[in-house]
Amino acid sequence: MVSTVQEKLKGFVGHRWVVFVCAMWDLSFAGTAYMFGSISPVIKSTMGFNQQQVVLLSVAKDLGDCVGLLSGKLSEVWPTWRVMLVGVIQNLVGYGLVWLVVTHSLPSLPLWTLCISIFVGQNGATYYNTVALVSSVQSFPESRGPVVGILKGFIGLSGAIWTQIIAMINFPDQASIIFIIAVGPAMVSFTLMFIIRPVQSHKYSRASDESGFMFIYSVCLLLAAYLLGVLLVENMFDLEQSTITLFAVILIILLLLPIIVPIILVFFSKPKSPDEETLLEPPMPTTKSMHDDDCDETSVSPEHVEDENPPQPEVLPLSQGPRDKFQFQSKLFQVVEKIKQENGPHIGEDFTLTQALVNVDFWIMFLSLVLSSGSGMAVINNMGQICQSLGDDNVNFYVSVISISNFLGRVGGGYFSEVIIRKFAYPRLVALAVIQLVMSLGLMYYALGLVGQVYVLAISMGSGFGAQWSVGIAATSELFGLKNFGTMYNFLTMANPTGSLILSGFVASTIYDYYAEQQTKHDSTGGTNEFLLCEGNICYSLTCGILSVACLFATALSLIIVHRSKRFYAQFYGKSQNLS
C-alpha cells in the first residue's frame, strides 16, 4: 500500500499535466511588464524625473521583456531549472536595485543606471516564459495551439492578478509594489523550477487530454468573467478591506483549480492496457513522409515531416534483389541525403536560428507580426490619450477591457487555430490572417468615428493582439521545428518592440503632435498649449486609418505563408486535397 502511494506520488510529480499546470501558475505571476504603470508614478516623484525620462524607463522595460535570445539559446544547452535560476537572479537584482534606490536605502543613481536595472529585472521574465513554453510544447507536441494559447493568456492576465493580491495586502506606500515585483515572481519560479521541464511520456495524445483542456478552458472563462466582475464592482463602489481580501482569496482558489486534472488522472483513473489506450486515442494525423522507424519514441511532431522532398527509395536487402540493384539504391539514397543537407531544412523540419534567418517564410511571418503587433501596441500605449482626446474619463475601464480581451484572445486563438488544422487540415496561419483582418476592421471603425468607437477599438485590439501571439508561436513550432523553438520564439517576440517603435513611437506620436500644434495655432482664445494636447476624433482617426492598412498588409503576408505551407499541413494531417 505504501509503495503504491509512493509510486503514484512519483508519477504525479513527473506527469506532463503537472508540468503544464505549474507552467500556468508560473506565468500567472511573471507578466510584471503590465505593472509598470503602477510603479512609474512613485519612481517619477521620488527621483524627480520628467515624463520623457519616465518614457525612457518604459522603453528599457519593453526591451527587457522582449529581448530573450539568450534565454532561448540557454534553453537548448542547459537544464530548465538552471535557465529559470538565471531569471530568478536577474529579477531580484534588477528590480531589487530599483526598490533600494526609490526607498533611499541606496543613494540616487543616474537615469541610465536605472534603465539598465529595469532592463535586467524585466529580462528575467523571458527566462520564465521560455522554460514554461518550451517545456509545455515539448510535453504536448500534439496540442500546441491550446497549450500556447492558455500559457500566453495567463501572462496577459498576470497584471490583473497582481493588482488584486496587492490590494489584499494593502501596502502603506507605492514603493512596496516594486518590492513585490522584485520578489514575487522570483519566489514562484524558484519554487516550481524543478517541476517545469519537458516530459514526453506519450507518443500520441491520450483520450483524457481533450477533456483536460476543456476543463482548463472552462476555468479560463470563469477566471476572466470573475476578474471583469471584480474590476467593475471595485470601480463602482468603495469596498471594505475584508471584501477586497475575500475577492483575492477566491481568485487564488480559481488559480488552483487546474491541478484537479492531473490529480484525477493519477490518483482516480484506472490504468488502461495499451490496447484500450489505442482504441480511446483521438485519431492523429499521419503523413506519407513520416518515418516512424527513425523517430524517437517520445516525439510525434511535424518537424519529422519532409515537405516537398521525393520519397526515399526503399533499400532491398541482398536476399531480395540483385546485388547491383542494391548498390544503385544505396548510392541513390546517399545522393538524396547529400542534396537535403546542401539545400537546408524544409518546412516542418528542425531549423536553427541561422537557417531560419535565411528562410523567406520566417521573415514574412516576422514582418506580418511587426505590422499587426505594432498596431496593437500603438493603441494600447495611447489608450489614455485616446480617451482624453474624446473627453472620456473611463480610462481604467477601457484598460481593464483590453486586459480581459487580451486574455480571452490568447486562449481563444489557440483553441480555434487547433480546430482549423485538425478538422480541415488547413494551415494554422489562416487563423492569424482572420485575426489581423478583424484588427483592421476595428481600427477602421474608429477612424470613421462611428458610435461606440472606443469600445470596439478596445475589444478588437485587445483580443486581436493577444490571439495573434498564440497562433504565431504555435505555427512557428510547427513550421520550424521544436528543437530550437526557444530561440525562434524569442526572436519573433522582437517584432513587438520593433512594430511599437515604428507605429507608436513615430507614426502615432507624430500625427498627434501635428494636430495638437494646429489646434494651438487656431486657438481663438490666444492661450498656449504647453503640453500639446489634442482634442477631438481627428487626433487618432488618421493614425487608426494607417494602422488599419498596416493590418490589411499583414493579413496578405499571412495568406502568403498559408499558400506556401498548405502542402505541409495537408501531409501532416492526412487530408487528400488538390495541392496543385
Side-chain angles (χ1 to χ4, degrees):
M1 180 67 180
V2 177
S3 60
T4 303
V5 174
Q6 290 178 345
E7 290 177 1
K8 284 187 175 292
L9 287 175
K10 184 178 180 181
F12 178 78
V13 175
H15 202 282
R16 63 177 184 165
W17 272 101
V18 173
V19 173
F20 181 48
V21 171
C22 288
M24 290 168 52
W25 290 342
D26 187 38
L27 296 189
S28 297
F29 299 96
T32 52
Y34 299 95
M35 297 295 295
F36 184 78
S38 299
I39 65 174
S40 58
V42 67
I43 296 176
K44 180 178 180 180
S45 61
T46 304
M47 305 301 296
F49 289 158
N50 56 36
Q51 189 60 34
Q52 187 176 8
Q53 291 171 316
V54 174
V55 169
L56 290 176
L57 295 176
S58 176
V59 171
K61 179 265 301 178
D62 290 336
L63 289 175
D65 195 42
C66 296
V67 180
L69 287 177
L70 180 59
S71 63
K73 280 294 184 183
L74 291 179
S75 69
E76 298 173 9
V77 295
W78 278 9
T80 55
W81 68 266
R82 191 179 297 176
V83 178
M84 291 190 72
L85 184 60
V86 175
V88 168
I89 294 173
Q90 284 196 199
N91 200 132
L92 284 171
V93 172
Y95 278 114
L97 181 61
V98 175
W99 176 71
L100 291 173
V101 171
V102 170
T103 57
H104 303 294
S105 299
L106 289 178
S108 297
L109 298 176
L111 177 64
W112 65 268
T113 307
L114 290 180
C115 286
I116 293 176
S117 298
I118 290 179
F119 173 87
V120 171
Q122 191 58 49
N123 189 248
T126 64
Y127 293 84
Y128 311 149
N129 297 346
T130 299
V131 170
L133 283 168
V134 171
S135 299
S136 299
V137 169
Q138 290 184 357
S139 299
F140 291 86
E142 72 289 343
S143 303
R144 307 175 194 209
V147 166
V148 173
I150 291 170
L151 291 180
K152 296 297 289 182
F154 275 97
I155 296 176
L157 204 62
S158 60
I161 293 173
W162 273 120
T163 299
Q164 295 302 315
I165 293 177
I166 290 172
M168 177 185 68
I169 300 175
N170 193 21
F171 287 112
D173 54 64
Q174 291 294 102
S176 301
I177 299 178
I178 305 176
F179 177 79
I180 286 294
I181 293 176
V183 176
M187 290 178 60
V188 174
S189 297
F190 185 81
T191 303
L192 302 175
M193 68 181 183
F194 291 106
I195 300 177
I196 302 176
R197 67 204 186 283
V199 177
Q200 298 173 320
S201 57
H202 307 301
K203 184 176 181 180
Y204 296 105
S205 63
R206 297 287 179 172
S208 57
D209 286 353
E210 183 176 356
S211 58
F213 280 117
M214 291 307 297
F215 178 77
I216 300 296
Y217 278 127
S218 301
V219 173
C220 290
L221 292 175
L222 180 61
L223 190 59
Y226 175 76
L227 280 173
L228 183 59
V230 169
L231 289 172
L232 290 173
V233 171
E234 289 180 345
N235 286 332
M236 294 172 60
F237 304 102
D238 187 13
L239 302 177
E240 297 181 358
Q241 183 60 36
S242 58
T243 305
I244 296 175
T245 302
L246 178 61
F247 284 160
V249 170
I250 296 174
L251 173 62
I252 295 173
I253 293 174
L254 292 177
L255 289 174
L256 294 175
L257 285 181
I259 198 64
I260 293 175
V261 176
I263 289 177
I264 292 177
L265 290 177
V266 174
F267 294 102
F268 298 99
S269 296
K270 295 181 179 179
K272 297 180 177 62
S273 65
D275 293 336
E276 290 177 317
E277 285 290 355
T278 302
L279 291 173
L280 290 173
E281 284 167 4
M284 288 296 295
T286 58
T287 81
K288 298 178 181 179
S289 58
M290 292 182 71
H291 308 291
D292 292 336
D293 294 338
D294 298 330
C295 294
D296 183 79
E297 184 65 17
T298 60
S299 67
V300 56
S301 50
E303 63 267 22
H304 297 294
V305 183
E306 297 178 13
D307 184 18
E308 299 173 352
N309 298 328
Q312 297 179 357
E314 181 182 359
V315 180
L316 298 175
L318 288 174
S319 60
Q320 298 182 16
R323 184 179 185 85
D324 57 347
K325 185 176 181 180
F326 171 75
Q327 292 176 344
F328 171 77
Q329 291 178 334
S330 298
K331 291 181 179 179
L332 182 60
F333 178 81
Q334 294 174 359
V335 170
V336 171
E337 289 296 320
K338 184 176 181 180
I339 292 175
K340 285 173 58 182
Q341 293 177 1
E342 291 177 353
N343 293 338
H346 295 272
I347 288 179
E349 298 177 350
D350 285 320
F351 282 70
T352 63
L353 180 60
T354 304
Q355 292 169 334
L357 290 177
V358 296
N359 182 278
V360 63
D361 297 300
F362 188 80
W363 283 109
I364 292 175
M365 181 183 292
F366 181 80
L367 180 57
S368 176
L369 291 173
V370 165
L371 294 173
S372 56
S373 66
S375 299
M377 286 301 297
V379 172
I380 293 172
N381 290 341
N382 291 281
M383 181 53 69
Q385 287 181 297
I386 290 174
C387 294
Q388 184 183 53
S389 66
L390 297 175
D392 194 332
D393 297 330
N394 296 320
V395 179
N396 291 333
F397 175 77
Y398 291 121
V399 171
S400 299
V401 169
I402 289 176
S403 178
I404 302 298
S405 300
N406 191 331
F407 171 71
L408 294 176
R410 294 182 188 227
V411 175
Y415 175 79
F416 288 111
S417 68
E418 198 74 13
V419 171
I420 288 174
I421 63 174
R422 293 201 178 277
K423 289 194 175 181
F424 304 102
Y426 225 65
R428 190 185 295 272
L429 289 181
V430 168
L432 180 61
V434 172
I435 292 164
Q436 291 165 334
L437 180 60
V438 172
M439 294 175 69
S440 176
L441 294 176
L443 287 162
M444 186 56 66
Y445 190 93
Y446 182 92
L448 296 175
L450 301 178
V451 178
Q453 59 189 121
V454 184
Y455 286 98
V456 174
L457 187 68
I459 294 173
S460 61
M461 301 309 292
S463 57
F465 180 78
Q468 68 176 348
W469 283 108
S470 298
V471 176
I473 292 171
T476 301
S477 70
E478 292 168 339
L479 298 177
F480 303 103
L482 282 174
K483 186 176 181 181
N484 301 296
F485 170 63
T487 305
M488 304 288 182
Y489 156 68
N490 282 291
F491 185 89
L492 286 178
T493 55
M494 290 196 295
N496 211 359
T498 303
S500 176
L501 179 64
I502 297 171
L503 297 177
S504 179
F506 177 71
V507 175
S509 61
T510 301
I511 294 175
Y512 180 91
D513 288 343
Y514 170 79
Y515 282 112
E517 290 175 356
Q518 292 298 313
Q519 290 179 359
T520 301
K521 292 179 181 179
H522 295 88
D523 187 1
S524 59
T525 62
T528 60
N529 194 347
E530 180 182 356
F531 299 104
L532 288 178
L533 297 179
C534 181
E535 297 178 355
N537 188 63
I538 189 64
C539 303
Y540 283 97
S541 59
L542 178 59
T543 296
C544 287
I546 295 173
L547 298 181
S548 178
V549 174
C551 286
L552 279 179
F553 189 58
T555 302
L557 292 176
S558 297
L559 291 176
I560 291 174
I561 307 180
V562 167
H563 177 73
R564 291 171 62 89
S565 62
K566 64 179 182 179
R567 179 186 296 271
F568 159 70
Y569 279 95
Q571 284 182 331
F572 181 60
Y573 289 94
K575 301 291 184 180
S576 56
Q577 298 179 359
N578 183 10
L579 302 176
S580 59

